[in-house]
Each structure stands twice: as C-alpha cells, then as structure tokens.
Amino acid sequence: MNNPAQISTYIKEQQKMALAGVRGHQPLQALLSFCASMEHLCSVAQPFLNYINLSAIITATAQLWTTARAKSSFQPSANMAGFDLKQFYSSILLQLEPMLPDVGAQAVSNILWSSAKLGLNPDAFVPGMTDALAATMLQLTKDKAGCQPNAQQCANFLWAFASMGHQPADKGLIDAVCQHFVRLIKHRDVSKRPNAQSAANLLWALASLGHQPADKGLVDAVSECFVRLIKHHDVSKQPNAQEAANLIWALASLGHQRADKGLIDAVCEHFVRLVKHHDISKRPNAQGAANVIWALGELNHEPPDGAASAILERLSVLCGLPRQAPNAQELSNTLLACAVLHLKVKDHVSLALVDGLLRLDRAHCSDQTYCNAAWSLAVLDKLCVDLFSLILGRLRPLSTEPAHNALPKQGLHQLYQALDFLQPLSTAAAQQLQEMMTRLGPRPLPDKRSAAYLCTSKHLCAALEQLGLAFTANVPLSGYWADAVLQPQDGVAAPVVLVPESYSGRFSNQEKRLTGRAVFRRALLAKQGKLVLIPEQELSRSLGDLADYIQQQVEDVTGDSLKPYIMS
C-alpha cells in the first residue's frame, strides 16, 4: 500500500472485520488483532500515511473499544494480553504531530472524540497537542473557503473537551464554536442544521465544562432547535431518550430559566412517550430517567400531568434489574427531586428506590446519598423510625480523627430535620435516635443571613416592640431562622413563630404552588408553635402599618387577642 486512498480502504476493512469479532464471542482477540494490524500498517506504510489515515486509526480503535465496553461480559483494559493501548495511541499521535497544520475539522473532531472515548488526553502524550487541535478548530470556524466544521463536528469537539475535563487555553474558543453552531441552526440549507444528538451534546458539554455562553440567546436557540426535532414528521430524526435527558440535564446544570416553560414540558412529554415505547430498546436507562427528574427539581419546574409518575415507575422497574439498576447517586438524586417537586410518590416506588439504595455496598455510597434519602423521605411523608435507624446505621460515626471525616454540614442539617419531622416520638425511640445522631455530630446552626435580610428582621422586631410583645429574636429552629418567637406570659398559650415568606419557594411554572422545600419548612416550623408567615412585600411597610398587620395575623392564628404575649 503506497497511497492514502488504499490505506483508508484497508483500515475500513480491518475495522469491519474487528467489529464483527467484538460483537461476537471473541472480543479480546478481535481487538488485539485489529491493533496489531494497525501497528504493522504504521510500520510498513509510514511514508504514505496522511492525517486522515491516522485519524481513522484512532477513531476506529475508539469505536471498537466503546463497542467492547458495552458488552457486560467483557471490559477492555489499557493493558491486555501484552498489548499497551497507551503506547499504541502515543505512537499514532507522534506520527500525527507534524501534520497538525493541515488537519481539517473532521479529523480534529474525530481525534478528540476518540481520545475522550478511550479516556486519554493527547496532552499527556504530546504536550500542547490538545490546545493545538483546539486552535485549528477555532481558525476553521472563521474559514470562508467552505472548510468550516459542521454541527456534529462542533458538538463532538466540545463534548470531547468536557469528557476529558480539559479547559481550553483560549477562553474565547468555546464561545466561537457555539456562535458557529447557532449560525448552522439558522442555515438556509436544512441539511446543514444540527440533529438532536448534536444539540443535546453541545449543551451537555457547556454544562459539564461549567461554561456560561457569552451569547445569552444561545441556550434558547439550541433548545428551540431541539423541540422542533421532537415534532419532526420523520420519527428517525426525533431525539432518543438519552438526548432528551442530556438536554434537560444541561438546562438545569446551566441554571437556565426560560420565559417559555412549554419547552421543558415538550421535552418531558417526549421523554415519557419513550418511557412507554413498545420497543424496549428505546426506553430510557436509569441514568436518563434519574437525570430528568433531577433536572426538573433543580429548575423548580412542576412536570406535566402524569410525567413524573411514568418516569418513577420506569425507575422502580429498573431497580429490580441487576445490570440496569440505578446507582447510589441516581437513587439519591431521584429521591431528592421527588421531595423538591413535592410529588405524590406511590409506596411501591419509594420502597423500590430506598431498598435499591440500602442494598448497595456501602463502599459505593457517599454519606450525602444517605442524608439526601432520609431528608427526602421525610419531606415525602415516607419516613418512619425503623427506616431512619437503618439509614443512620449506614453512616460513619463522628471520628476523633481530622474534621474531614465528619459529616458535612448540609448532611447533618438534613438528618436533624428528618429527626424533627418524626417528632413526637416515644421515649425509647427518641433516646435511640438521639444517641445515633449525637455519634454523627452536633446540630449545626442555619446558614448566616445576608445584611439585607438582617435589616428587614430588625424592622419586624421593631414592630413587635411597638406592640409591647415579649419575644426572642433570631431563633434557630429545625435548621431555619425564625425572625422572632413570641413568648406567652401566661404559661398556657402556645409560642408564635414569625418568619418571612418569599416567592423563591414556588414553582417556576406554577407561581401559586409551593415546592417541597417550602412546604417542609412550614411543616417543621409549625411544630415549634403557631406559625405566622409574613410576605416579603409586607416587610417594606411603615413601622405602624407593619405592627397593625402583625397584630391581625397573630390574632388570626391564635384565635385570641395579643394579651398572652404582652410583656409583663
């Protein structure tokens, strides 16, 4: 073989034969045979290899490697039967290095995509190569001679950077590629517009890189393109379950709140159709289902009717399938999202999720997954003493070693709030749980409040003073700050807890409905006494008007006058 065209044909033929072997009963032999043939090719045809050939070798290796990994019975490693993947990969890159000035968009995209699939970063083998490939892609986005990258190449390029965890040296690179992608969305030639996979991968990559695009309209433009594909008359062009999950996960991870809430509903409804698809292979896996529920929780977006229950049913089924069951993080995220969304979770679903978590080896679960589960079950009114004891038993006790071994503050907050939810308890149960909690750490104080918050709190306390009421200011209760607690002077009346109420605890698409966090906050504070919620706008009133408002609210909740709370 002495010309690049012949070499390309040979690589394709070898890959085709290897793919059949990898999918068959001898995946290891097929992989080793392919790599050996490529090593031989590189040694005998080195003078005739061009960057297209070398890129094709790396891409074929990655595709075979990925196919092999998908087989549960076989997991390839970097060193198999004497074959060293890293050495093989490095030798290809070294041959490719002098050809970098000529590399096109397809090769750049393929090399980086393949490297990410193999879990290897070119920089580790040829220093500076990853950013050199990135610089080439940046120039190609500005090319006027028709060599610009297409939508899939842009998406794969950014996906690779995100998968490798590599932040490009040129901070303008990501925005430049994104701007080019948006131009393709609007391209007059429909065939050049992104498909669902490219749209989802691009947003997934931005979210994974933690990059907020400079173009504020980018996320909306890509999302709208995705929804148009959901409605496409050609079913083959509609997004699959993973693409739908990746897109909505990316929106949540980017903290993107759209004015048009219908877009998220459209993606959810499409996802649910796939959950119920007659072809089992098209139904979402555990990661996809968990990511959609988690994303809705992060966005405070109430799901369309029936959507959440269908997704949760899917997860409960997967919990019973060993090779498809959700992992600890997916179970924890799902329970947490159910709590935030204040979903009505069926008993068999919550039992499947919790049982799935408790069945997992302790080494595969973080402390936070258990804390999330306990708190979520409390919010969902699914927690009982026995279950709480089981969860606490999985947690590591407070150690005499350095503080990093202790539970994080957030986790302790959640556990103590779960304990408060279970009150009142029998003396024996209360003692048992309190001892277990004490082993894990003391109850932490709520987070410090802002200066603006403290200012409005002082205004409220001044109104209480004007009314002559006996109170304690800034009281920590069940992990929250109460601005004031009215203390009864007659020893009979119940305390009155006064707290501000903001709109941040409401659904983004249903402003009249409270999220699970807001409902749980009210429920825990109400256990401490009569609860008076003061809307934020009321706190901006004059002192006299605020005092009149508080008096009316206190009298309404106590059904009596202020007399029991007047300072003696």
Side-chain angles (χ1 to χ4, degrees):
M1 285 177 285
N2 57 10
N3 73 70
Q6 284 182 329
I7 293 171
S8 291
T9 301
Y10 175 75
I11 294 169
K12 288 176 183 176
E13 289 172 349
Q14 292 297 309
Q15 182 186 5
K16 186 177 179 180
M17 286 192 295
L19 190 58
V22 166
R23 287 173 174 164
H25 300 295
Q26 297 180 313
L28 174 59
Q29 184 178 336
L31 265 177
L32 294 176
S33 176
F34 173 79
C35 292
S37 67
M38 293 302 105
E39 284 184 316
H40 178 70
L41 173 68
C42 289
S43 65
V44 300
Q46 184 174 359
F48 310 107
L49 291 168
N50 63 16
Y51 76 83
I52 296 173
N53 301 143
L54 294 169
S55 168
I57 293 172
I58 293 175
T59 304
T61 305
Q63 289 170 341
L64 292 168
W65 202 266
T66 304
T67 304
R69 279 189 177 278
K71 292 175 68 72
S72 57
S73 59
F74 174 69
Q75 289 298 309
S77 61
N79 196 318
M80 300 177 299
F83 171 72
D84 190 330
L85 173 67
K86 292 181 179 179
Q87 183 178 334
F88 172 71
Y89 173 79
S90 177
S91 68
I92 302 294
L93 291 186
L94 288 169
Q95 291 183 66
L96 183 64
E97 185 181 18
M99 306 176 192
L100 285 182
D102 301 320
V103 171
Q106 183 69 58
V108 170
S109 172
N110 284 354
I111 292 163
L112 290 173
W113 178 89
S114 303
S115 299
K117 284 289 185 181
L118 293 168
L120 304 171
N121 188 330
D123 268 4
F125 303 89
V126 182
M129 189 171 200
T130 305
D131 283 319
L133 288 165
T136 299
M137 181 64 90
L138 178 60
Q139 289 304 312
L140 289 168
T141 62
K142 303 171 184 176
D143 193 285
K144 302 298 182 183
C147 297
Q148 295 179 339
N150 62 30
Q152 184 178 353
Q153 290 159 2
C154 290
N156 285 356
F157 172 80
L158 291 180
W159 179 92
F161 268 80
S163 298
M164 291 188 293
H166 186 96
Q167 292 287 346
D170 185 340
K171 300 307 177 186
L173 167 73
I174 297 175
D175 285 323
V177 174
C178 287
Q179 286 162 9
H180 178 66
F181 192 86
V182 170
R183 289 195 292 272
L184 292 171
I185 288 174
K186 302 172 182 177
H187 204 288
R188 63 179 182 274
D189 182 349
V190 176
S191 67
K192 295 188 183 298
R193 295 175 187 171
N195 61 17
Q197 183 184 43
S198 298
N201 281 357
L202 184 103
L203 289 189
W204 181 91
L206 292 179
S208 298
L209 288 166
H211 182 87
Q212 289 292 340
D215 178 2
K216 300 305 179 186
L218 168 81
V219 178
D220 282 341
V222 177
S223 302
E224 287 159 9
C225 166
F226 192 85
V227 170
R228 285 196 295 273
L229 290 166
I230 285 175
K231 300 173 182 177
H232 203 287
H233 65 276
D234 184 348
V235 176
S236 67
K237 289 185 167 32
Q238 293 177 2
N240 63 29
Q242 183 178 348
E243 290 156 3
N246 283 356
L247 182 110
I248 200 166
W249 178 89
L251 292 177
S253 299
L254 290 167
H256 185 72
Q257 290 288 356
R258 286 178 53 85
D260 175 16
K261 304 302 179 184
L263 182 144
I264 295 172
D265 285 344
V267 178
C268 285
E269 288 163 356
H270 177 68
F271 190 82
V272 169
R273 287 194 292 274
L274 294 170
V275 166
K276 300 175 180 178
H277 204 286
H278 65 274
D279 182 347
I280 296 174
S281 67
K282 295 190 183 301
R283 295 176 188 173
N285 61 14
Q287 183 186 47
N291 280 356
V292 170
I293 289 288
W294 174 86
L296 292 171
E298 284 293 296
L299 292 167
N300 278 352
H301 184 96
E302 185 178 44
D305 290 344
S309 60
I311 297 170
L312 291 173
E313 284 289 350
R314 172 65 177 162
L315 276 167
S316 70
V317 169
L318 292 171
C319 283
L321 304 176
R323 292 178 180 174
Q324 299 179 53
N327 63 29
Q329 191 64 57
E330 289 158 0
L331 290 165
S332 170
N333 285 353
T334 298
L335 285 167
L336 191 61
C338 288
V340 170
L341 295 169
H342 205 219
L343 299 175
K344 292 180 179 178
V345 181
K346 294 176 181 176
D347 288 342
H348 76 274
V349 171
S350 62
L351 181 62
L353 296 175
V354 176
D355 188 50
L357 181 63
L358 294 177
R359 279 201 317 265
L360 292 172
D361 189 308
R362 176 66 185 83
H364 298 152
C365 305
S366 69
D367 288 337
Q368 192 59 53
T369 60
Y370 293 120
C371 296
N372 284 350
W375 184 87
S376 302
L377 291 167
V379 176
L380 294 168
D381 198 14
K382 303 285 186 182
L383 189 66
C384 64
V385 171
D386 290 344
L387 185 52
F388 192 42
S389 297
L390 278 173
I391 294 172
L392 292 179
R394 289 297 190 97
L395 292 163
R396 300 182 182 92
L398 186 64
S399 173
T400 54
E401 296 176 14
H404 67 265
N405 289 324
L407 281 179
K409 181 180 177 181
Q410 179 191 353
L412 281 172
H413 262 309
Q414 290 174 313
L415 294 176
Y416 275 103
Q417 287 189 336
L419 179 61
D420 291 343
F421 161 80
L422 291 172
Q423 303 295 341
L425 290 164
S426 67
T427 303
Q431 183 177 351
Q432 175 200 356
L433 293 179
Q434 189 58 56
E435 286 176 357
M436 295 180 82
M437 288 298 303
T438 302
R439 285 171 53 244
L440 296 172
R443 183 190 288 267
L445 284 172
D447 292 335
K448 289 183 178 180
R449 295 180 292 177
S450 66
Y453 191 102
L454 290 172
C455 184
T456 59
S457 181
K458 286 180 181 178
H459 187 54
L460 184 148
C461 291
L464 296 177
E465 289 172 351
Q466 183 168 306
L467 291 167
L469 300 177
F471 68 93
T472 304
N474 298 319
V475 182
L477 295 174
S478 292
Y480 307 107
W481 286 109
D483 282 29
V485 177
L486 301 187
Q487 306 292 350
Q489 302 297 290
D490 60 1
V492 177
V496 177
V497 179
L498 293 96
V499 293
E501 180 84 333
S502 71
Y503 282 98
S504 61
R506 298 177 186 274
F507 284 103
S508 60
N509 59 329
Q510 295 286 347
E511 292 185 358
K512 293 183 179 179
R513 289 203 58 221
L514 295 172
T515 64
R517 281 197 175 96
V519 171
F520 194 56
R521 173 175 177 263
R522 286 187 177 188
L524 288 189
L525 290 173
K527 284 176 176 278
Q528 309 294 328
K530 301 289 186 180
L531 182 61
V532 173
L533 299 166
I534 304 174
E536 284 181 333
Q537 65 268 24
E538 298 296 338
L539 290 168
S540 61
R541 288 185 175 200
S542 67
L543 195 60
D545 287 345
L546 180 57
D548 291 342
Y549 178 81
I550 290 173
Q551 179 174 352
Q552 183 62 54
Q553 296 301 307
V554 173
E555 289 174 350
D556 286 347
V557 299
T558 60
D560 202 350
S561 68
L562 295 180
K563 187 176 179 181
Y565 306 98
I566 299 294
M567 193 178 298
S568 54

PDB file of all heavy atoms in Angstrom, residues 373-383 414 417-419 421 520:
ATOM      1  N   ALA A 373     -31.427  10.850  51.119  1.00  0.00           N
ATOM      2  CA  ALA A 373     -32.536   9.894  51.176  1.00  0.00           C
ATOM      3  C   ALA A 373     -33.390  10.122  52.418  1.00  0.00           C
ATOM      4  O   ALA A 373     -34.627  10.151  52.340  1.00  0.00           O
ATOM      5  CB  ALA A 373     -31.991   8.470  51.148  1.00  0.00           C
ATOM      6  N   ALA A 374     -32.756  10.277  53.585  1.00  0.00           N
ATOM      7  CA  ALA A 374     -33.508  10.476  54.835  1.00  0.00           C
ATOM      8  C   ALA A 374     -34.354  11.742  54.764  1.00  0.00           C
ATOM      9  O   ALA A 374     -35.548  11.738  55.112  1.00  0.00           O
ATOM     10  CB  ALA A 374     -32.540  10.534  56.015  1.00  0.00           C
ATOM     11  N   TRP A 375     -33.731  12.829  54.322  1.00  0.00           N
ATOM     12  CA  TRP A 375     -34.459  14.111  54.251  1.00  0.00           C
ATOM     13  C   TRP A 375     -35.600  14.031  53.246  1.00  0.00           C
ATOM     14  O   TRP A 375     -36.711  14.486  53.511  1.00  0.00           O
ATOM     15  CB  TRP A 375     -33.486  15.220  53.852  1.00  0.00           C
ATOM     16  CG  TRP A 375     -34.090  16.588  53.827  1.00  0.00           C
ATOM     17  CD1 TRP A 375     -34.208  17.451  54.880  1.00  0.00           C
ATOM     18  CD2 TRP A 375     -34.643  17.258  52.693  1.00  0.00           C
ATOM     19  NE1 TRP A 375     -34.803  18.615  54.469  1.00  0.00           N
ATOM     20  CE2 TRP A 375     -35.085  18.537  53.130  1.00  0.00           C
ATOM     21  CE3 TRP A 375     -34.809  16.932  51.352  1.00  0.00           C
ATOM     22  CZ2 TRP A 375     -35.681  19.459  52.276  1.00  0.00           C
ATOM     23  CZ3 TRP A 375     -35.396  17.846  50.507  1.00  0.00           C
ATOM     24  CH2 TRP A 375     -35.833  19.089  50.962  1.00  0.00           C
ATOM     25  N   SER A 376     -35.337  13.425  52.111  1.00  0.00           N
ATOM     26  CA  SER A 376     -36.349  13.332  51.053  1.00  0.00           C
ATOM     27  C   SER A 376     -37.551  12.512  51.519  1.00  0.00           C
ATOM     28  O   SER A 376     -38.704  12.874  51.274  1.00  0.00           O
ATOM     29  CB  SER A 376     -35.751  12.712  49.793  1.00  0.00           C
ATOM     30  OG  SER A 376     -34.651  13.466  49.346  1.00  0.00           O
ATOM     31  N   LEU A 377     -37.286  11.401  52.185  1.00  0.00           N
ATOM     32  CA  LEU A 377     -38.376  10.564  52.676  1.00  0.00           C
ATOM     33  C   LEU A 377     -39.215  11.307  53.712  1.00  0.00           C
ATOM     34  O   LEU A 377     -40.435  11.140  53.774  1.00  0.00           O
ATOM     35  CB  LEU A 377     -37.819   9.271  53.267  1.00  0.00           C
ATOM     36  CG  LEU A 377     -37.207   8.305  52.233  1.00  0.00           C
ATOM     37  CD1 LEU A 377     -36.405   7.217  52.930  1.00  0.00           C
ATOM     38  CD2 LEU A 377     -38.299   7.691  51.365  1.00  0.00           C
ATOM     39  N   ALA A 378     -38.567  12.151  54.508  1.00  0.00           N
ATOM     40  CA  ALA A 378     -39.310  12.959  55.479  1.00  0.00           C
ATOM     41  C   ALA A 378     -40.218  13.955  54.762  1.00  0.00           C
ATOM     42  O   ALA A 378     -41.408  14.093  55.099  1.00  0.00           O
ATOM     43  CB  ALA A 378     -38.339  13.691  56.403  1.00  0.00           C
ATOM     44  N   VAL A 379     -39.684  14.633  53.764  1.00  0.00           N
ATOM     45  CA  VAL A 379     -40.482  15.603  53.005  1.00  0.00           C
ATOM     46  C   VAL A 379     -41.666  14.910  52.340  1.00  0.00           C
ATOM     47  O   VAL A 379     -42.774  15.456  52.283  1.00  0.00           O
ATOM     48  CB  VAL A 379     -39.612  16.310  51.935  1.00  0.00           C
ATOM     49  CG1 VAL A 379     -40.460  17.243  51.077  1.00  0.00           C
ATOM     50  CG2 VAL A 379     -38.482  17.088  52.595  1.00  0.00           C
ATOM     51  N   LEU A 380     -41.441  13.699  51.852  1.00  0.00           N
ATOM     52  CA  LEU A 380     -42.490  12.948  51.150  1.00  0.00           C
ATOM     53  C   LEU A 380     -43.436  12.224  52.113  1.00  0.00           C
ATOM     54  O   LEU A 380     -44.350  11.529  51.681  1.00  0.00           O
ATOM     55  CB  LEU A 380     -41.847  11.918  50.212  1.00  0.00           C
ATOM     56  CG  LEU A 380     -41.035  12.489  49.043  1.00  0.00           C
ATOM     57  CD1 LEU A 380     -40.206  11.396  48.378  1.00  0.00           C
ATOM     58  CD2 LEU A 380     -41.948  13.168  48.030  1.00  0.00           C
ATOM     59  N   ASP A 381     -43.189  12.385  53.423  1.00  0.00           N
ATOM     60  CA  ASP A 381     -44.001  11.725  54.454  1.00  0.00           C
ATOM     61  C   ASP A 381     -43.914  10.201  54.323  1.00  0.00           C
ATOM     62  O   ASP A 381     -44.895   9.486  54.506  1.00  0.00           O
ATOM     63  CB  ASP A 381     -45.463  12.186  54.369  1.00  0.00           C
ATOM     64  CG  ASP A 381     -46.244  11.890  55.650  1.00  0.00           C
ATOM     65  OD1 ASP A 381     -45.596  11.589  56.674  1.00  0.00           O
ATOM     66  OD2 ASP A 381     -47.489  11.931  55.616  1.00  0.00           O
ATOM     67  N   LYS A 382     -42.703   9.706  54.013  1.00  0.00           N
ATOM     68  CA  LYS A 382     -42.480   8.271  53.861  1.00  0.00           C
ATOM     69  C   LYS A 382     -41.481   7.735  54.890  1.00  0.00           C
ATOM     70  O   LYS A 382     -41.102   6.567  54.823  1.00  0.00           O
ATOM     71  CB  LYS A 382     -41.938   7.960  52.460  1.00  0.00           C
ATOM     72  CG  LYS A 382     -42.808   8.416  51.297  1.00  0.00           C
ATOM     73  CD  LYS A 382     -44.014   7.535  51.100  1.00  0.00           C
ATOM     74  CE  LYS A 382     -44.785   7.934  49.853  1.00  0.00           C
ATOM     75  NZ  LYS A 382     -46.005   7.109  49.686  1.00  0.00           N
ATOM     76  N   LEU A 383     -41.056   8.585  55.815  1.00  0.00           N
ATOM     77  CA  LEU A 383     -40.022   8.175  56.760  1.00  0.00           C
ATOM     78  C   LEU A 383     -40.654   7.655  58.051  1.00  0.00           C
ATOM     79  O   LEU A 383     -41.596   8.246  58.574  1.00  0.00           O
ATOM     80  CB  LEU A 383     -39.103   9.359  57.078  1.00  0.00           C
ATOM     81  CG  LEU A 383     -37.844   9.049  57.880  1.00  0.00           C
ATOM     82  CD1 LEU A 383     -36.895   8.168  57.056  1.00  0.00           C
ATOM     83  CD2 LEU A 383     -37.123  10.329  58.312  1.00  0.00           C
ATOM     84  N   GLN A 414     -29.846  17.985  57.158  1.00  0.00           N
ATOM     85  CA  GLN A 414     -30.907  17.132  56.632  1.00  0.00           C
ATOM     86  C   GLN A 414     -31.330  16.070  57.646  1.00  0.00           C
ATOM     87  O   GLN A 414     -32.525  15.802  57.831  1.00  0.00           O
ATOM     88  CB  GLN A 414     -30.437  16.465  55.338  1.00  0.00           C
ATOM     89  CG  GLN A 414     -30.293  17.423  54.163  1.00  0.00           C
ATOM     90  CD  GLN A 414     -29.678  16.751  52.952  1.00  0.00           C
ATOM     91  OE1 GLN A 414     -28.672  16.048  53.055  1.00  0.00           O
ATOM     92  NE2 GLN A 414     -30.282  16.950  51.797  1.00  0.00           N
ATOM     93  N   GLN A 417     -33.285  17.590  60.524  1.00  0.00           N
ATOM     94  CA  GLN A 417     -34.635  17.953  60.078  1.00  0.00           C
ATOM     95  C   GLN A 417     -35.506  16.706  59.939  1.00  0.00           C
ATOM     96  O   GLN A 417     -36.702  16.732  60.256  1.00  0.00           O
ATOM     97  CB  GLN A 417     -34.565  18.714  58.755  1.00  0.00           C
ATOM     98  CG  GLN A 417     -34.043  20.137  58.911  1.00  0.00           C
ATOM     99  CD  GLN A 417     -34.171  20.958  57.656  1.00  0.00           C
ATOM    100  OE1 GLN A 417     -34.230  20.426  56.542  1.00  0.00           O
ATOM    101  NE2 GLN A 417     -34.211  22.269  57.799  1.00  0.00           N
ATOM    102  N   ALA A 418     -34.905  15.600  59.469  1.00  0.00           N
ATOM    103  CA  ALA A 418     -35.655  14.337  59.399  1.00  0.00           C
ATOM    104  C   ALA A 418     -36.064  13.877  60.793  1.00  0.00           C
ATOM    105  O   ALA A 418     -37.190  13.400  61.006  1.00  0.00           O
ATOM    106  CB  ALA A 418     -34.802  13.270  58.712  1.00  0.00           C
ATOM    107  N   LEU A 419     -35.156  14.041  61.760  1.00  0.00           N
ATOM    108  CA  LEU A 419     -35.476  13.690  63.151  1.00  0.00           C
ATOM    109  C   LEU A 419     -36.607  14.562  63.681  1.00  0.00           C
ATOM    110  O   LEU A 419     -37.536  14.074  64.343  1.00  0.00           O
ATOM    111  CB  LEU A 419     -34.224  13.845  64.019  1.00  0.00           C
ATOM    112  CG  LEU A 419     -34.385  13.534  65.515  1.00  0.00           C
ATOM    113  CD1 LEU A 419     -34.800  12.087  65.727  1.00  0.00           C
ATOM    114  CD2 LEU A 419     -33.089  13.830  66.251  1.00  0.00           C
ATOM    115  N   PHE A 421     -38.924  15.920  61.946  1.00  0.00           N
ATOM    116  CA  PHE A 421     -40.152  15.512  61.270  1.00  0.00           C
ATOM    117  C   PHE A 421     -40.834  14.369  62.025  1.00  0.00           C
ATOM    118  O   PHE A 421     -42.061  14.298  62.103  1.00  0.00           O
ATOM    119  CB  PHE A 421     -39.839  15.077  59.839  1.00  0.00           C
ATOM    120  CG  PHE A 421     -40.900  14.231  59.195  1.00  0.00           C
ATOM    121  CD1 PHE A 421     -42.042  14.813  58.665  1.00  0.00           C
ATOM    122  CD2 PHE A 421     -40.781  12.844  59.155  1.00  0.00           C
ATOM    123  CE1 PHE A 421     -43.035  14.032  58.081  1.00  0.00           C
ATOM    124  CE2 PHE A 421     -41.764  12.064  58.569  1.00  0.00           C
ATOM    125  CZ  PHE A 421     -42.896  12.654  58.040  1.00  0.00           C
ATOM    126  N   PHE A 520     -42.162  21.787  53.431  1.00  0.00           N
ATOM    127  CA  PHE A 520     -41.494  21.135  54.568  1.00  0.00           C
ATOM    128  C   PHE A 520     -41.061  22.171  55.599  1.00  0.00           C
ATOM    129  O   PHE A 520     -41.184  21.938  56.818  1.00  0.00           O
ATOM    130  CB  PHE A 520     -40.289  20.358  54.047  1.00  0.00           C
ATOM    131  CG  PHE A 520     -39.706  19.386  55.039  1.00  0.00           C
ATOM    132  CD1 PHE A 520     -40.477  18.399  55.610  1.00  0.00           C
ATOM    133  CD2 PHE A 520     -38.364  19.445  55.373  1.00  0.00           C
ATOM    134  CE1 PHE A 520     -39.944  17.481  56.514  1.00  0.00           C
ATOM    135  CE2 PHE A 520     -37.810  18.539  56.274  1.00  0.00           C
ATOM    136  CZ  PHE A 520     -38.598  17.556  56.839  1.00  0.00           C
TER     137      PHE A 520
END
